[in-house]
Amino acid sequence: MQAAIDRIMQTYGMLVNQTAAAHAEAREKVTDYVKTLFDAGEKDEHRLAVCGLTYLRQLDGTTDPVKAGYTGL
């Protein structure tokens, strides 16, 4: 589980420029999320990493086209 969290944070750090405090907060949130998935039975490190990265991207709004600047025009 820890390897998946480290992989998530490394990848997320390449995608998003953030302060040390924001990085620590993101790590805490994704750790709780991945722990929930792990406790529910997901043991595949790659799937945990993808789910965790998707979770962080949803939290910061980068998967929302409106927040990303898409207006439909």
Side-chain angles (χ1 to χ4, degrees), residues 57-71:
R57 300 285 307 247
Q58 287 176 340
L59 285 180
D60 72 13
T62 55
T63 57
D64 183 359
V66 174
K67 287 183 181 177
Y70 180 72
T71 62

Side-chain angles (χ1 to χ4, degrees), residues 10-69:
Q10 180 182 17
T11 304
Y12 190 66
M14 288 188 276
L15 296 171
V16 178
N17 187 14
Q18 58 188 173
T19 64
H23 183 81
E25 182 181 347
R27 179 178 277 279
E28 183 179 325
K29 287 180 180 181
V30 82
T31 298
D32 291 342
Y33 180 72
V34 170
K35 184 176 180 344
T36 300
L37 294 176
F38 189 82
D39 291 344
E42 182 58 67
K43 306 297 185 210
D44 186 317
E45 179 184 326
H46 299 292
R47 287 180 60 107
L48 289 171
V50 169
C51 291
L53 188 57
T54 301
Y55 172 73
L56 286 178
R57 300 285 307 247
Q58 287 176 340
L59 285 180
D60 72 13
T62 55
T63 57
D64 183 359
V66 174
K67 287 183 181 177

